[in-house]
């Protein structure tokens, strides 16, 4: 089997299940060494098992993005990957912590803080710690996903993240334009049968949704056209 991406290194969050897991497996099948992150060690090991069954290998990095003070852990990731691999070709930020849908006036302190920490601040911290390595690696890609929401009642915890992340990524894109070969992607995704989707839309007909593998294929086709 040809390995078109052999020698490349990817860091994937949300790699314990769903779309992140499917992206990691697809990248590993193409020869990429994947650094896999999520909270659940068992899920990461499952992803690793599949990767190993294809003859690939991965590095596991259990991490809770909503924990009280994740800054130290996240801030160390860029330098750690630099010293271990000296390159980062692909960053896919697929982690997203489910947040209950609720009227703006009913969002609790704990829900607000965890949502911002896990689903927004983590992106900024990853950008800060990974950017030196992403800039130094020729034709690197940083991939973020638009959450699955349009502005409507009760969805403000999700739509707030979507708007803020989109604005931050646009600024970042403009700051680095013409300076580096890094491509920044903020992708909207087709409805995909995952735990997150089931949590937001429990009554939905799952058979009409993409599988995570189908969506991962579409994502990789956008990154490597
Ligand atoms: N599914 C869709 O239809 C759809 C549509 C549009 C966009 N998206 C986007 O696609 C991305 C992936 O979502 P998915 O549907 O694949 O969801 P998923 O199957 O529920 O996966 C979410 C991933 O995030 C990780 N995660 C959750 N909270 C975390 C935390 N606090 N710290 C670290 N990792 C955490 C989970 O692992 P652990 O629980 O092990 O930590 C899991 O690996 C998200 O950005 C989502 O907004 C999905």
């Amino acid at each position: 089997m040809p390995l078109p991406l052999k020698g490349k290194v990817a860091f994937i969050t949300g790699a314990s299940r769903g779309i992140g897991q499917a992206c990691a497996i697809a990248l590993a099948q193409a020869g990429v060494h994947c650094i896999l992150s999520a909270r659940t060690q068992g899920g990461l090991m499952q992803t690793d098992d599949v990767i190993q069954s294809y003859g690939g290998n991965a590095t596991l990095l259990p991490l809770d993005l909503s924990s009280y003070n994740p800054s130290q852990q996240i801030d160390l990731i860029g330098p750690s990957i630099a010293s271990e691999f000296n390159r980062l070709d692909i960053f896919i930020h697929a982690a997203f912590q489910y947040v209950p849908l609720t009227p703006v006036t009913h969002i609790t302190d704990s829900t607000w803080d965890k949502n911002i920490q896990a689903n927004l601040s983590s992106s900024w911290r990853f950008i800060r710690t990974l950017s030196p390595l992403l800039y130094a690696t020729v034709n690197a890609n940083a991939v973020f996903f638009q959450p699955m929401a349009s502005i409507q009642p009760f969805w403000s915890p999700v739509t707030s993240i979507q708007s803020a992340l989109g604005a931050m990524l646009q600024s970042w894109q403009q700051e680095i334009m013409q300076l580096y070969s890094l491509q920044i992607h903020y992708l909207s995704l087709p409805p995909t049968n995952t735990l997150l989707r089931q949590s937001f839309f429990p009554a939905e007909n799952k058979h009409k949704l993409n599988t995570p593998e189908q969506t991962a294929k579409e994502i990789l086709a956008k990154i490597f056209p």
Side-chain angles (χ1 to χ4, degrees), residues 164-195:
L165 181 57
M168 180 169 64
L169 293 176
Q170 272 185 35
S171 295
W172 187 28
Q173 175 81 71
Q174 288 173 15
E175 286 156 14
I176 67 161
M177 223 179 336
Q178 323 246 328
L179 294 176
Y180 305 104
S181 58
L182 172 67
Q183 293 290 316
I184 299 165
H185 310 262
Y186 190 39
L187 303 179
S188 65
L189 299 181
T192 305
N193 186 15
T194 66
L195 192 59

Coordinates of all heavy atoms in Angstrom, one line a residue, residues 164-195:
A164 N -17.3 33.4 18.1 CA -16.0 33.9 18.7 C -14.8 33.1 18.0 O -13.8 33.8 17.6 CB -16.0 33.7 20.2
L165 N -15.0 31.8 17.8 CA -13.9 31.1 17.2 C -13.7 31.5 15.8 O -12.5 31.7 15.3 CB -14.2 29.6 17.3 CG -13.2 28.6 16.7 CD1 -11.8 28.8 17.4 CD2 -13.7 27.2 16.9
G166 N -14.8 31.7 15.1 CA -14.7 32.1 13.7 C -14.0 33.5 13.6 O -13.1 33.6 12.7
A167 N -14.3 34.4 14.4 CA -13.6 35.7 14.4 C -12.1 35.6 14.7 O -11.3 36.2 14.1 CB -14.3 36.7 15.4
M168 N -11.8 34.8 15.7 CA -10.4 34.6 16.1 C -9.6 34.0 14.9 O -8.5 34.5 14.6 CB -10.3 33.7 17.4 CG -8.9 33.5 17.8 SD -8.8 32.8 19.4 CE -9.5 31.2 19.1
L169 N -10.2 33.0 14.3 CA -9.5 32.3 13.2 C -9.3 33.3 12.0 O -8.2 33.3 11.4 CB -10.2 31.1 12.8 CG -10.2 30.0 13.8 CD1 -11.0 28.8 13.4 CD2 -8.8 29.5 14.2
Q170 N -10.3 34.1 11.8 CA -10.1 35.1 10.6 C -9.0 36.1 10.9 O -8.2 36.4 10.1 CB -11.4 35.9 10.5 CG -12.4 35.2 9.5 CD -13.6 36.0 9.3 OE1 -13.5 37.3 9.2 NE2 -14.8 35.4 9.1
S171 N -8.9 36.5 12.2 CA -7.8 37.5 12.5 C -6.5 36.8 12.4 O -5.5 37.3 11.8 CB -8.0 37.9 14.0 OG -9.1 38.7 14.1
W172 N -6.4 35.5 12.9 CA -5.2 34.8 12.8 C -4.7 34.6 11.3 O -3.6 34.9 11.0 CB -5.3 33.4 13.5 CG -4.1 32.6 13.6 CD1 -2.8 33.1 13.7 CD2 -4.0 31.2 13.6 NE1 -1.9 32.1 13.8 CE2 -2.6 30.9 13.8 CE3 -4.9 30.2 13.6 CZ2 -2.1 29.6 13.8 CZ3 -4.4 28.8 13.6 CH2 -3.0 28.6 13.8
Q173 N -5.7 34.3 10.5 CA -5.5 34.1 9.1 C -4.9 35.4 8.5 O -3.9 35.3 7.7 CB -6.8 33.7 8.4 CG -6.7 33.6 6.9 CD -6.1 32.3 6.4 OE1 -6.8 31.2 6.6 NE2 -4.9 32.2 6.0
Q174 N -5.5 36.5 8.8 CA -5.0 37.8 8.2 C -3.6 38.1 8.8 O -2.8 38.7 8.1 CB -6.0 38.9 8.5 CG -7.3 38.7 7.7 CD -8.4 39.7 8.1 OE1 -8.1 40.7 8.7 NE2 -9.6 39.4 7.6
E175 N -3.4 37.8 10.0 CA -2.1 38.1 10.6 C -0.9 37.4 9.9 O 0.2 37.9 9.8 CB -2.1 37.8 12.1 CG -2.9 38.8 12.9 CD -3.4 38.2 14.3 OE1 -2.9 37.1 14.7 OE2 -4.3 38.8 14.9
I176 N -1.2 36.1 9.5 CA -0.1 35.3 9.0 C 0.0 35.3 7.5 O 0.9 34.7 6.9 CB -0.1 33.9 9.5 CG1 -1.3 33.1 9.0 CG2 -0.1 33.9 11.1 CD1 -1.2 31.6 9.1
M177 N -1.1 35.9 6.8 CA -1.1 35.8 5.4 C 0.2 36.3 4.8 O 0.7 37.3 5.2 CB -2.3 36.7 4.9 CG -3.1 36.1 3.8 SD -4.4 37.0 3.2 CE -4.9 38.1 4.5
Q178 N 0.7 35.7 3.8 CA 1.9 36.0 3.1 C 3.2 35.8 3.9 O 4.3 36.0 3.4 CB 1.9 37.5 2.7 CG 0.6 38.0 2.2 CD 0.6 38.4 0.8 OE1 1.6 38.8 0.2 NE2 -0.6 38.2 0.1
L179 N 3.0 35.4 5.2 CA 4.2 35.2 6.0 C 4.6 33.7 6.1 O 5.8 33.4 6.1 CB 4.0 35.7 7.4 CG 3.8 37.2 7.6 CD1 3.5 37.6 9.0 CD2 5.1 37.9 7.1
Y180 N 3.6 32.9 6.1 CA 3.8 31.4 6.3 C 3.0 30.6 5.3 O 1.9 31.1 4.9 CB 3.5 31.0 7.8 CG 4.2 31.8 8.8 CD1 3.6 32.8 9.5 CD2 5.6 31.6 9.0 CE1 4.3 33.5 10.5 CE2 6.3 32.3 10.0 CZ 5.6 33.3 10.7 OH 6.3 34.1 11.6
S181 N 3.4 29.4 5.1 CA 2.6 28.5 4.2 C 1.5 27.8 4.9 O 0.7 27.1 4.3 CB 3.5 27.5 3.5 OG 4.2 26.7 4.5
L182 N 1.3 28.0 6.2 CA 0.3 27.4 7.0 C -1.1 27.7 6.4 O -1.4 28.9 6.2 CB 0.3 27.9 8.5 CG -0.8 27.4 9.4 CD1 -0.8 25.9 9.6 CD2 -0.8 28.2 10.7
Q183 N -1.9 26.7 6.3 CA -3.3 26.9 5.8 C -4.2 26.7 7.1 O -4.1 25.7 7.8 CB -3.7 25.8 4.8 CG -3.0 25.9 3.5 CD -3.5 27.1 2.7 OE1 -4.7 27.4 2.6 NE2 -2.5 27.8 2.1
I184 N -5.1 27.7 7.3 CA -6.1 27.6 8.4 C -7.4 27.2 7.8 O -7.9 27.9 6.9 CB -6.1 28.9 9.2 CG1 -4.7 29.2 9.8 CG2 -7.1 28.8 10.3 CD1 -4.6 30.6 10.3
H185 N -8.1 26.2 8.4 CA -9.4 25.8 7.9 C -10.4 25.9 9.0 O -10.2 25.4 10.1 CB -9.4 24.3 7.4 CG -8.2 24.0 6.5 ND1 -8.4 24.0 5.1 CD2 -6.9 23.7 6.7 CE1 -7.2 23.6 4.5 NE2 -6.3 23.4 5.5
Y186 N -11.6 26.5 8.7 CA -12.7 26.5 9.7 C -13.9 25.9 8.9 O -14.6 26.6 8.2 CB -13.0 27.9 10.1 CG -13.9 28.0 11.3 CD1 -13.9 27.1 12.3 CD2 -14.9 29.1 11.3 CE1 -14.8 27.2 13.4 CE2 -15.7 29.2 12.4 CZ -15.7 28.2 13.4 OH -16.6 28.3 14.5
L187 N -14.0 24.6 9.1 CA -14.9 23.8 8.2 C -16.3 23.6 8.8 O -16.4 23.4 10.0 CB -14.3 22.4 7.9 CG -12.9 22.4 7.3 CD1 -12.4 20.9 7.2 CD2 -12.8 23.1 6.0
S188 N -17.3 23.8 7.9 CA -18.6 23.3 8.3 C -18.7 21.9 7.9 O -18.2 21.5 6.8 CB -19.7 24.2 7.7 OG -19.7 24.1 6.4
L189 N -19.4 21.0 8.7 CA -19.4 19.6 8.4 C -20.8 19.1 8.2 O -21.8 19.7 8.7 CB -18.8 18.8 9.6 CG -17.4 19.2 10.0 CD1 -17.0 18.3 11.3 CD2 -16.5 18.9 8.9
P190 N -21.0 18.0 7.4 CA -22.3 17.5 7.3 C -22.7 16.8 8.6 O -21.9 16.4 9.4 CB -22.1 16.4 6.2 CG -20.6 16.1 6.2 CD -19.9 17.3 6.7
P191 N -24.1 16.7 8.8 CA -24.5 16.0 10.0 C -24.0 14.6 10.1 O -24.1 13.9 9.1 CB -26.1 16.0 9.9 CG -26.3 17.1 8.9 CD -25.2 17.2 8.0
T192 N -23.4 14.3 11.2 CA -22.6 13.1 11.3 C -23.0 12.3 12.6 O -23.2 12.9 13.7 CB -21.1 13.4 11.4 OG1 -20.8 14.2 10.2 CG2 -20.3 12.1 11.3
N193 N -23.2 11.0 12.5 CA -23.7 10.2 13.6 C -22.6 10.0 14.7 O -21.8 9.1 14.5 CB -24.2 8.9 13.1 CG -24.8 8.0 14.1 OD1 -25.1 8.6 15.2 ND2 -25.0 6.8 13.9
T194 N -22.6 10.9 15.7 CA -21.6 10.8 16.8 C -22.4 11.0 18.1 O -23.5 11.4 18.1 CB -20.6 11.9 16.6 OG1 -21.2 13.1 16.8 CG2 -19.8 11.9 15.3
L195 N -21.7 10.8 19.2 CA -22.3 11.0 20.5 C -22.7 12.4 20.7 O -23.8 12.7 21.2 CB -21.3 10.6 21.6 CG -21.8 10.4 23.0 CD1 -22.9 9.4 23.1 CD2 -20.6 10.1 23.9

